[in-house]
Amino acid sequence: METCQHKRYKIFWVDDDPFFLNWITPQVTAFACFTIQTFDNARGALEQLKSSHPDIILTNLVMPYMCGLEMIATIRCKDTDIPIVVVSNRFQKGDRQAALEAGANSFLCKAGINGLAIRAGIWPYLA
């Protein structure tokens, strides 16, 4: 069950698919305790991490310039505590395993996902 009380959670969401982000972001932020800052590539998110610390990072795997696996590994070299959840259409066992080995905490498949599923998938890392 989702209860925010008075806490607001800041999410960094890294995905180069603007259609997906424009569709799903309002579903997640409909629950008032979540704010989302989106990035269309890993480099932008890594740059922002130098000055801002989100409560959780959501990332796609396949993106230009730097893939999600590289971004996760880069973050884990500096910060082992921040939860990272992969949200991707790449859902083969090898993709999931590679994400977890890179340092992701969890993996959600984009196929059929909605805001409720996202919130349920990230809530254990925030509570």
Side-chain angles (χ1 to χ4, degrees), residues 33 39 43 50 58 60 63 66 82 93 97 100 125:
C33 66
F39 302 89
R43 289 180 185 169
K50 293 176 183 176
L58 305 180
N60 193 7
M63 297 179 290
M66 177 186 280
I82 188 167
K93 184 178 180 181
Q97 187 63 35
L100 296 174
Y125 303 103

Side-chain angles (χ1 to χ4, degrees), residues 6 8 32 56 66 90 93 98 100 103 106 126:
H6 301 290
R8 291 190 55 84
I56 193 165
M66 177 186 280
R90 299 194 57 158
K93 184 178 180 181
L100 296 174
S106 185
L126 299 173

